[in-house]
Structure formats: C-alpha cells, structure tokens
Amino acid sequence: MNFLSDFIPLFLQQLQSPTLGFLIGGIVVASLGSQLAIPDSIYKFISFFLLMKIGLTGGIAIRNSNPSEILLPALAAVLIGIVIVFIGRYTLGKLPGITVPDAVATGGLFGAVSGSTLAAVLPQLDSAKIPYEAWTAALYPFMDIPALVTAIVVASVYLSKRNGKASENVEIWPIIKESMQSSAVTSLLLGVALGILTKPEPVYESFFNPLFRGFLAILMIIMGMEAAQRMNELRKVAQWFAIYAFLAPIVHGFLAFGLGLVIHKITGFSIGGAVVLAVIAASSSDISGPPTLRAGIPSANPSAYIGASTAIGTPVAIAICIPLFIGLAEMMG
Amino acid sequence: MNFLSDFIPLFLQQLQSPTLGFLIGGIVVASLGSQLAIPDSIYKFISFFLLMKIGLTGGIAIRNSNPSEILLPALAAVLIGIVIVFIGRYTLGKLPGITVPDAVATGGLFGAVSGSTLAAVLPQLDSAKIPYEAWTAALYPFMDIPALVTAIVVASVYLSKRNGKASENVEIWPIIKESMQSSAVTSLLLGVALGILTKPEPVYESFFNPLFRGFLAILMIIMGMEAAQRMNELRKVAQWFAIYAFLAPIVHGFLAFGLGLVIHKITGFSIGGAVVLAVIAASSSDISGPPTLRAGIPSANPSAYIGASTAIGTPVAIAICIPLFIGLAEMMG
Amino acid sequence: MNFLSDFIPLFLQQLQSPTLGFLIGGIVVASLGSQLAIPDSIYKFISFFLLMKIGLTGGIAIRNSNPSEILLPALAAVLIGIVIVFIGRYTLGKLPGITVPDAVATGGLFGAVSGSTLAAVLPQLDSAKIPYEAWTAALYPFMDIPALVTAIVVASVYLSKRNGKASENVEIWPIIKESMQSSAVTSLLLGVALGILTKPEPVYESFFNPLFRGFLAILMIIMGMEAAQRMNELRKVAQWFAIYAFLAPIVHGFLAFGLGLVIHKITGFSIGGAVVLAVIAASSSDISGPPTLRAGIPSANPSAYIGASTAIGTPVAIAICIPLFIGLAEMMG
C-alpha cells in the first residue's frame, strides 16, 4: 500500500494542474448553460500555434542531437511510438462500446511523450547514480511526433474505410497523403522542418515557448466545453479507459526497456539510457497530444483520452514506472 | 490651493497613461475617417482573455488569503461594491439626459477597484507609521467583482423591464440567471473559480499577466473607435459625469471608512485597514472595469464612464482621498 | 575576391534567418498542397499588431531625440526615404515584365530601414574610432516610415490612374487621403502618434516588443503561402530584382553619404553621423517593410520584394556598404 500513498497525492495534484483544471472548467461552464464561446478563427490560430511550437521544440532538439550516436535509440523510439498506437487500436479499440477514433486517439496520447515525466526521471537517475547519455532527453520527439502522426493517419484510414465500405477496396495511400496535408500534420511537420533547417531560437524563445502554456489552457477550456456535450457517450465505457490508462504505461515501459537492453548489447547504449527510453514510452502527453489530436481526429472525444492520460496515466508513469525501471536497472548494474 | 498643485499634474499624467491615451487614439482615428477595424472575433478573444485574467487575479488573491481573519472585512467590501452601483443608479441615473445603462456602468466602474490606487496608499501608510494587516490588499477582488457583476445584472434588469414594460410583470430571476450565463460574467467567474480551485500560477505568470496591458491597450483603441460614433450623446451631459466623478470617490471612501471603523470596534480590525478599505472604495477601475462593462453592458457609452473614471475619479482618489483618510486615521491613532 | 568570402556566408546565414526561413516554409507548404490556412481575421490582427509596433518604436525614438540637433539630419532622412521609392519606381519599374506595384513595393522596402544593419555599423564605427552623435540611431524612423507611406501612396495613385485611365484626369489628393485612411497607414501613424504623445513604454515592453518576432514569423508563413501561388510571375523577371537588389544599397548609400557631408559642412554634423545615415539608406527592411507593404500594396508580389531585400540587399549592405563608407570616412578624417 506504499504505492497508494504515492499515487493518491499525485492524482489529486493532477486535478489541480492547469491542463486538467481548465478542461474541467470548460466542462462545468458549458454544463451550466453559459453563452461563452471562443470564435472558430481563434481556435484555428491557437491550434496552429500549439502545433508549430510542438514541432519547433522537436526540430530544435533533433538539430542539436548527435546523429551517429542517437541513430539506433531514435529508430527504437520511432518504432515504439508507432506500435503503441496500434496496441491501443487493437486492445482498447476492440472493447465493447468504445469507438475506434477514441481508442486510436488514446493510443496516440499514450504514445506521445510528457516532458514533465521525462523531467522527473532524470534527477532520480542522478540520485541513484545510474549513468545515462546526456542526449537521451533528445529522444522524445522521435517517439512523440510519429505517435501523433500515426494516430491521425490510422484514424483517417479507419474512417474512410467505414464510410466507403460499400465498395470495399479503399486505397490507403491517398488517405495517408491527405492526412499529411491536413492543417494539423502540416503545422507539426512545418515546425519540425523549421526547427531543423533554420535557426528559429529567437522566435521560439520570445514567442512560441512563453505563450504555449496560456494558449494550451485556452484550448483546454474549448475542449472542455465540447466535451460537456458528449459526456453521455463516455459514462458507459469510462471503466475501460481507466483500466487501459492504468496498464498501458507499464506495458509500454517494458516494451521500450526490452528494446533498450537489446541496443545496450549491440552498441553499448547505457542501461540508464534504456530507463529513460522506458519512461518516455510509459509517459503520456498532456501537452503535445491534446491540441494535435483535437485538430487531427476531430471525431474522437477529448474528455476520454485526456481524462485517461492526465488523471491516471501520468500518475502511474511517475509513481509506478519510474521507481520500477530504476529498480530493475539497479538490479542489473 | 495646495490641492490643485497635486491634482493637476496627476490629471495631465493620466492623459498620457496608456489606458486613456489609446482610448483617445481610437477616438481620433475614427473621427478622421480611417478604415482601420479590428475583427469581431479578435475583440471577442481579447474580451475573454481580459476577463479571465481579472478573474484569475481575484481568485488567486482569495485563495492566498486567510478566511477567518478576512471574513468580516471581505463581507463589508462585497456590500460596498454592490451599494456603490445602486448609488450610481439612483443619483447619476436620475439626472436629466443621462441614460440608466451609462449611470449603472459608471457606478460599476467606481465600485470596481484600481490596483494602482491601492498600490499608492500602502507605502503612504508605511511612511505615516499607521499599522495595517498584510492581507488587506486581498480585499480588492471582494469589492471589484461584485461591483462589476451587480452593474451587469442591474443594467440587464432595467433593459428587460423597459423593453417589456407593456406586460409590467417582468420576472427578475431569469434575467439574473441570464446575466450570470453571459460571456462576460462567465469568463470572470470561471477565472475566479480556476484561481481558487486550481493552481494556475504558471499560466498566469507566463501568459495572462504579461499580455494583459497589451490586450487592454488594443481594447481601448476599439472602444475609442466606438466612442467616436457616440460623442454627440455625451456633449450635453458631460458636466454631470464630471461632478459625479469628483464627488463619488469621497462619498464612497467615507462610507467604507465608517464601515471599517465599525469592524474595528467589533473585531479589532486595524484603523490602517479601514483606511485601505476606504481607498479601495474611493478608487475606480481603469483596468478590470472597461473590458467587463464593455462586454456586459454593450449599450453603455464607454467614453462616458472611462473618461469620468480615468480623467477625474482616479486623480481625486489619489490626490484627495488618500491624504484625507490617512489624516483622519492619524487623528484617531 | 575578399568580398565573396564575406558575402557568401552572410548570404547563407540569411537563408536560415527566421524571416526568410518562415517565408520559404510557407512557400513549400503551399506547394505541397497543404490545407493549412490562417484565418483572415488573424491575419488582420497580426498586421495591425505589427504596424502599431513599428509605429510605436519610431514614435518613442522620436520623442527621446533632441529636436534641435536632429532637425536637419532628420529632414535629410525623410527626403532620402521618399526619393528611394521614386528611384525604384522609375528604374526597376521601367524594366520589361516588372509591374509597377512590385517595383514600388521593392523601392519602399529598400527605403525602409533594417535595425540589424544599423546595429552592425555602430560597433564598427567604435572600433574604427570614428566619432558620431549618440542620437544618430534615432534617425531610422524618419527614413523608415516616410518610405513605406510614400510607397503605399505611389502605388495607390498608379493603380487608380490605370483603372480610371479612360477619363484621364484622376485627382491625386483624394487618393492620397484614402491611402492615409487605409488600415495599414492608420495603424502605423497611430503607433507613431501614441509613441510621441503618450508614454506607452509599459505596454511596449510587455506586449508589442516581445511578441513582434513571433507574429512576424507567422506573417512570413502567410506571405509564403500566398507567394507560392505567384511563383510563375516571378520566374521570368527574377534577374532584374537581383540586379536592383545588388546596386540599390550602394547607390542609396552614396546619395545619403553625400547629403550627410553637406550637413556636416553646414552644421558640424559628424562624418561618423554621415556614415550612419549612409548605412541606414543602404539597408533594406525585413522587419517593418513586409507587414506594411503586404497590407498597403496587396497587389505586389511579396516573394519579389522580400527575396530581393533579404537574400541580396541585406548582405550587400553589411558586407559591402559598411566597410565602404567607414573606409571613406577614414580617408576624410
């Protein structure tokens, strides 16, 4: 029961986090019949802004990383990000009453990465005196962005197939191309490209980074107001999201830890680095995920995936997965 | 005439303040026939942003205050905020040629609180060695927000009654409910609730606080452009607003100082605290008031209430009321 | 060939600058068929924001300058700013295949001033121990704003005449008046007026200055997406823009240096000051120009004038004109 004494305060703290707090605020306001509305053009701009920022963050991190050293762990991160989406699609998505777009979006969110969970593991590795490569933090965009793009593509393919099922032979490549040309994926990849190829640091530091939290908070209010309309859908299936959100971080973490150990055997990648990879996989994003998935999979219910990730997934990643994988690394060290 | 030598430089300085300066800029631009226009969706976003920020500021201040100590002075602040609106409604609003929405909005602005007037009194109490409780600054949202909400509700009730006067029996509760569900009041109260219940400080410090002055300046230009269309309405009755703006701070200050002295007798609330309460009541808001009243009472003429408050009310509060109540406190001390 | 070794790295560095990088990003995104679109109301707000900021910067610089000392050099700066536009109109604008709005916009951009080129010359004057007046940096708005306003007016007059050529006698004053009442010029001059007459520093420092680069970057993406539609127009005439962009900084610099020497003879204005004036004239704006000209001359092709200025004009101004005029000043000193 030591676990519960760690878990419950983290759970309560998450309820006060701006991300979940503003989402709940939006739900309450809409439920009380408020006439508050954020104009659609503002939503579109906020969405573009947030995705550009997420892309720029990733692109700058990639530019500053060492390509030869990072190659294999980065490929592992890309692979894990993609696989996590398919795990969500074919486990959560097969449960009764759960729609595929909701399952894929949830998978995308758990494939995406939480910067704060990543920030939590690094000092704990230091305290435990487990060495790890300094560039491991730069692995996060390699898992984050493929997971989100994969989720958008998988949902688009599913929806096209379902709508065109009469003809049965839906072509997949045009749908993938269309997903890549959508506003959401374009904004994300444009940010990545500008982060890698230009030097956007002055714009990033003066604009995209400081305003990010604020626009995210406003997006949360918008998503909360929308979620209020869709609460009934969720009530009957909430337990499945809760079970998924509890188990997924542990499963994803073991998957990544195993892959990390394989790379450790091949290239000498440190065991501490494998812990970082595992925790990145265990984490779920309450930062990059919600705006991307809201724009890229509009038919998914944000209160399902954000609630699952923020209220359960993140506390599990921090309170269970971090000590678990650090303990395993110590046993091996 | 010592007073005039204090008053006139303050008056001139206010004309250079961004709030009034940008308002006048908007008036001039529109009078010269410019095609400049700020899109309506931008106005709606700015309005939402400003009201959220005002609410968050209040909510955070309330969360950080001590509930048991602050209770009675806070109730007094709420009461004064509400009463000031009714004073405006039944004095200014009864004068010839003055519309009730204009009078109520002006009352709301004089009931609301100026942070800079509050900031001006505290060091002067320190210099005069008059002790006061550290939490008295936290009283301001208890007067500010009730005054603004009361003004919106009173104006809505008045307008509904006037438009439905044929039937004579207008129900008040539905109108109050509708006022509370309006965008303006929702944004304000959502901010208060998030400020009290969540920990929005990171978002507040990185977004709402630094951008506040800028969006307020842009709102002032918008309000100035609107005011230019309505200057004729104002010309015949400007003297009544000037007289009200001169007397109101003094009357409101005495009212609050008296109530503060009563609480001093009952609970030992300091006389310095009563001075703070009096100056809060004497001050009028050029920060929280204009965006809230513009959104909540669109039929009121902004150039009337902002001009009265900024050009006359604030200099009177600083140059007359602060020395007056500090002098009274010293006589009693 | 020493020049090429200076020029080429500067040229490559400009390609990575956020201004040009985001423009190219917008071009690429649109060419790939992305559905990304920034809502028009957002564009209008960004445009207003940027022009207000440019105006405020100029207005504050003018307010802080010494009127008696600066008078003659400031008049020279105004004159040069206006003349540069007409040079562009009657040289570039007469070449085959080049439209007059494109030529006038390019002239406006080369008349406008680059803050970073200005920032580059001052320490080099210090190193060369050439004295100059501290206020010379304040000369830039006197050239920048007249050049941009002149370009907008000249383009409007040209377009009105062309469209109304049947009647032949187009009246010029109404068109100038209309240009001055346009959103773009109003925003710019409102900023100048507020910068001179009020004290907008708190708003400027907390809002307009920090957000400027970010909104400019977003505008560049918008302009790039537009430019992608119009690439064909440019292909046949790109060499004329390249030749103009190479020669114009040198010609404009000599013009201004000559005028500066005349003022030196009359008033004792320093030769170092004449160098500053020459470099201001040689510089072309990638900051104030693009948003102003996009809003004020919508028919001009942004990829023409921004490409010419950023990719060629700025490297020439820094790598050729600065050492050239410092060398001339040393020969005279």
Side-chain angles (χ1 to χ4, degrees):
Chain A
M1 287 302 93
N2 204 355
F3 153 68
L4 271 184
S5 69
D6 283 357
F7 181 82
I8 287 170
L10 273 166
F11 176 82
L12 293 175
Q13 198 183 314
Q14 286 291 314
L15 291 178
Q16 288 200 309
S17 81
T19 304
L20 200 57
F22 281 71
L23 183 79
I24 295 172
I27 294 174
V28 171
V29 156
S31 309
L32 295 176
S34 166
Q35 289 155 36
L36 180 65
I38 312 285
D40 189 57
S41 59
I42 300 295
Y43 163 70
K44 285 198 176 118
F45 171 73
I46 290 179
S47 194
F48 165 74
F49 173 94
L50 296 173
L51 297 179
M52 275 289 293
K53 191 274 181 181
I54 295 162
L56 284 169
T57 309
I60 292 171
I62 291 171
R63 168 158 51 82
N64 293 333
S65 66
N66 182 337
S68 71
E69 247 188 341
I70 207 175
L71 181 68
L72 221 53
L75 283 177
V78 171
L79 185 68
I80 296 163
I82 293 171
V83 165
I84 287 175
V85 176
F86 284 97
I87 293 177
R89 164 74 182 87
Y90 289 107
T91 60
L92 185 60
K94 293 292 185 194
L95 291 170
I98 301 221
T99 72
V100 170
D102 279 1
V104 170
T106 309
L109 207 64
F110 277 77
V113 175
S114 154
S116 52
T117 308
L118 175 57
V121 69
L122 300 182
Q124 296 190 43
L125 282 170
D126 292 337
S127 309
K129 302 208 166 128
I130 300 175
Y132 60 94
E133 290 80 2
W135 47 260
T136 47
L139 289 174
Y140 91 89
F142 291 96
M143 194 181 297
D144 199 55
I145 290 164
L148 295 170
V149 172
T150 303
I152 293 171
V153 171
V154 169
S156 299
V157 170
Y158 169 80
L159 290 167
S160 297
K161 277 194 177 162
R162 200 190 54 181
N163 297 336
K165 67 185 161 199
S167 60
E168 273 307 328
N169 48 357
V170 171
E171 281 195 70
I172 286 180
W173 282 110
I175 299 164
I176 292 177
K177 195 184 155 213
E178 208 172 280
S179 305
M180 305 302 277
Q181 289 175 333
S182 69
S183 282
V185 179
T186 299
S187 306
L188 199 60
L189 297 184
L190 176 59
V192 174
L194 289 170
I196 295 176
L197 299 174
T198 72
K199 288 188 180 142
E201 276 83 351
V203 177
Y204 183 81
E205 292 304 335
S206 67
F207 188 70
F208 286 101
N209 201 29
L211 301 188
F212 184 74
R213 281 174 176 281
F215 280 128
L216 184 64
I218 292 175
L219 182 71
M220 287 298 121
I221 293 176
I222 298 174
M223 292 173 79
M225 293 192 298
E226 284 180 7
Q229 325 291 336
R230 306 177 63 176
M231 274 296 157
N232 285 330
E233 297 173 20
L234 200 58
R235 217 160 283 160
K236 293 168 213 148
V237 294
Q239 79 284 6
W240 298 126
F241 284 100
I243 293 170
Y244 172 86
F246 190 91
L247 295 178
I250 302 168
V251 172
H252 301 161
F254 270 109
L255 187 69
F257 193 62
L259 253 178
L261 291 183
V262 171
I263 301 173
H264 166 67
K265 296 280 177 202
I266 304 174
T267 68
F269 180 52
S270 70
I271 291 185
V275 173
V276 174
L277 195 65
V279 171
I280 287 177
S283 78
S284 57
S285 166
D286 57 353
I287 297 285
S288 60
T292 312
L293 296 166
R294 169 65 187 74
I297 314 181
S299 58
N301 187 337
S303 47
Y305 55 79
I306 299 176
S309 159
T310 315
I312 302 178
T314 295
V316 168
I318 293 175
I320 302 181
C321 295
I322 289 180
L324 177 65
F325 293 109
I326 285 184
L328 287 176
E330 280 175 330
M331 279 167 48
M332 293 176 172
Chain B
M1 287 303 92
N2 203 355
F3 152 69
L4 271 184
S5 69
D6 283 356
F7 181 83
I8 287 169
L10 274 166
F11 176 82
L12 294 175
Q13 197 182 315
Q14 287 291 314
L15 290 178
Q16 288 200 309
S17 81
T19 305
L20 199 57
F22 281 70
L23 183 81
I24 295 172
I27 293 174
V28 171
V29 157
S31 309
L32 295 175
S34 165
Q35 288 154 37
L36 180 65
I38 311 286
D40 190 57
S41 59
I42 300 295
Y43 163 70
K44 284 200 177 114
F45 171 72
I46 290 179
S47 193
F48 166 74
F49 174 94
L50 297 173
L51 297 180
M52 276 289 292
K53 191 275 181 180
I54 295 161
L56 285 169
T57 309
I60 292 171
I62 291 170
R63 170 159 50 83
N64 292 333
S65 66
N66 182 338
S68 71
E69 246 188 340
I70 207 176
L71 182 67
L72 220 53
L75 284 177
V78 172
L79 184 69
I80 296 163
I82 295 171
V83 165
I84 288 174
V85 176
F86 284 96
I87 293 177
R89 164 75 181 87
Y90 290 106
T91 60
L92 185 61
K94 293 293 184 193
L95 291 170
I98 300 220
T99 72
V100 169
D102 279 2
V104 170
T106 308
L109 207 65
F110 278 76
V113 174
S114 155
S116 53
T117 308
L118 176 56
V121 69
L122 299 182
Q124 296 190 43
L125 281 169
D126 293 337
S127 310
K129 304 207 164 128
I130 301 174
Y132 60 94
E133 290 79 3
W135 47 260
T136 46
L139 289 173
Y140 91 88
F142 292 96
M143 194 182 300
D144 198 57
I145 291 165
L148 295 170
V149 172
T150 304
I152 294 171
V153 171
V154 168
S156 298
V157 170
Y158 169 80
L159 290 167
S160 297
K161 277 195 179 163
R162 200 189 54 182
N163 298 335
K165 66 186 162 199
S167 60
E168 271 308 325
N169 48 357
V170 171
E171 281 195 71
I172 286 180
W173 282 110
I175 300 164
I176 291 179
K177 195 183 154 214
E178 207 172 281
S179 305
M180 305 302 277
Q181 289 175 333
S182 69
S183 282
V185 178
T186 300
S187 307
L188 199 62
L189 296 184
L190 176 58
V192 173
L194 289 169
I196 295 175
L197 298 174
T198 73
K199 287 186 181 144
E201 275 84 352
V203 177
Y204 183 82
E205 292 304 335
S206 67
F207 189 70
F208 287 101
N209 201 28
L211 302 188
F212 184 75
R213 279 174 176 281
F215 280 128
L216 184 65
I218 292 174
L219 182 71
M220 285 299 121
I221 293 175
I222 299 174
M223 293 173 79
M225 293 191 297
E226 285 182 7
Q229 325 291 336
R230 307 175 63 175
M231 273 298 157
N232 285 330
E233 296 173 21
L234 201 59
R235 215 158 285 159
K236 294 169 213 148
V237 293
Q239 79 283 7
W240 297 127
F241 284 101
I243 292 169
Y244 173 86
F246 191 91
L247 295 178
I250 303 169
V251 172
H252 301 160
F254 269 110
L255 188 69
F257 193 62
L259 254 176
L261 291 183
V262 170
I263 302 172
H264 166 67
K265 295 282 177 197
I266 303 175
T267 69
F269 181 53
S270 70
I271 291 183
V275 172
V276 174
L277 195 65
V279 171
I280 287 175
S283 79
S284 56
S285 167
D286 56 355
I287 298 285
S288 60
T292 313
L293 296 165
R294 170 66 187 74
I297 315 182
S299 58
N301 187 337
S303 46
Y305 55 80
I306 299 176
S309 160
T310 315
I312 301 177
T314 296
V316 167
I318 293 176
I320 302 182
C321 294
I322 291 181
L324 176 65
F325 292 110
I326 287 185
L328 286 176
E330 280 176 328
M331 279 168 46
M332 291 177 174
Chain C
M1 286 305 91
N2 203 354
F3 153 67
L4 271 185
S5 69
D6 282 356
F7 181 81
I8 286 170
L10 273 166
F11 176 81
L12 294 175
Q13 197 183 313
Q14 286 291 314
L15 290 178
Q16 288 200 310
S17 81
T19 303
L20 199 57
F22 281 71
L23 182 81
I24 294 171
I27 293 173
V28 171
V29 156
S31 309
L32 296 176
S34 165
Q35 288 155 37
L36 180 65
I38 312 285
D40 190 56
S41 59
I42 300 296
Y43 163 69
K44 285 200 178 115
F45 171 73
I46 290 180
S47 193
F48 165 74
F49 173 94
L50 297 173
L51 297 180
M52 275 289 292
K53 191 275 182 181
I54 295 162
L56 284 168
T57 310
I60 292 172
I62 292 171
R63 169 158 51 82
N64 293 333
S65 66
N66 182 338
S68 70
E69 248 188 339
I70 206 176
L71 182 68
L72 221 53
L75 284 177
V78 172
L79 184 68
I80 296 162
I82 294 171
V83 164
I84 288 174
V85 175
F86 284 97
I87 293 176
R89 164 76 184 85
Y90 289 106
T91 59
L92 185 60
K94 293 293 185 191
L95 291 170
I98 301 221
T99 72
V100 169
D102 280 1
V104 170
T106 308
L109 207 64
F110 278 76
V113 175
S114 154
S116 52
T117 308
L118 175 57
V121 68
L122 300 182
Q124 296 190 42
L125 282 170
D126 292 336
S127 310
K129 301 208 166 130
I130 301 174
Y132 59 95
E133 290 79 2
W135 46 260
T136 48
L139 289 173
Y140 91 88
F142 292 96
M143 195 182 297
D144 200 55
I145 290 164
L148 295 170
V149 172
T150 303
I152 294 172
V153 171
V154 168
S156 299
V157 169
Y158 169 79
L159 290 167
S160 297
K161 277 194 177 162
R162 200 188 55 180
N163 298 335
K165 67 186 162 201
S167 61
E168 272 307 327
N169 48 356
V170 171
E171 282 195 70
I172 287 179
W173 282 108
I175 301 165
I176 292 178
K177 196 185 153 210
E178 209 172 279
S179 305
M180 306 303 277
Q181 288 175 333
S182 69
S183 282
V185 178
T186 299
S187 306
L188 198 62
L189 297 184
L190 176 59
V192 173
L194 289 170
I196 296 176
L197 299 174
T198 72
K199 287 187 181 144
E201 276 84 351
V203 176
Y204 183 82
E205 292 304 335
S206 67
F207 189 71
F208 287 100
N209 201 29
L211 302 188
F212 184 75
R213 279 174 178 281
F215 280 128
L216 184 64
I218 293 174
L219 182 71
M220 286 298 121
I221 293 175
I222 298 174
M223 292 173 79
M225 294 192 297
E226 285 182 6
Q229 325 292 336
R230 306 177 63 176
M231 274 296 158
N232 285 331
E233 295 173 21
L234 200 59
R235 216 160 283 159
K236 293 168 213 151
V237 293
Q239 80 281 9
W240 298 126
F241 284 100
I243 293 169
Y244 172 86
F246 190 91
L247 296 178
I250 302 169
V251 172
H252 301 161
F254 270 110
L255 187 70
F257 193 63
L259 253 177
L261 292 183
V262 171
I263 301 172
H264 166 68
K265 295 281 176 198
I266 303 175
T267 69
F269 180 53
S270 70
I271 290 183
V275 173
V276 175
L277 195 64
V279 171
I280 288 176
S283 78
S284 58
S285 166
D286 57 355
I287 297 285
S288 60
T292 312
L293 295 166
R294 170 64 187 75
I297 315 183
S299 59
N301 187 337
S303 47
Y305 55 80
I306 299 177
S309 159
T310 314
I312 302 178
T314 295
V316 168
I318 294 175
I320 301 181
C321 295
I322 290 181
L324 177 66
F325 292 110
I326 286 185
L328 288 175
E330 280 176 330
M331 278 168 47
M332 292 176 171

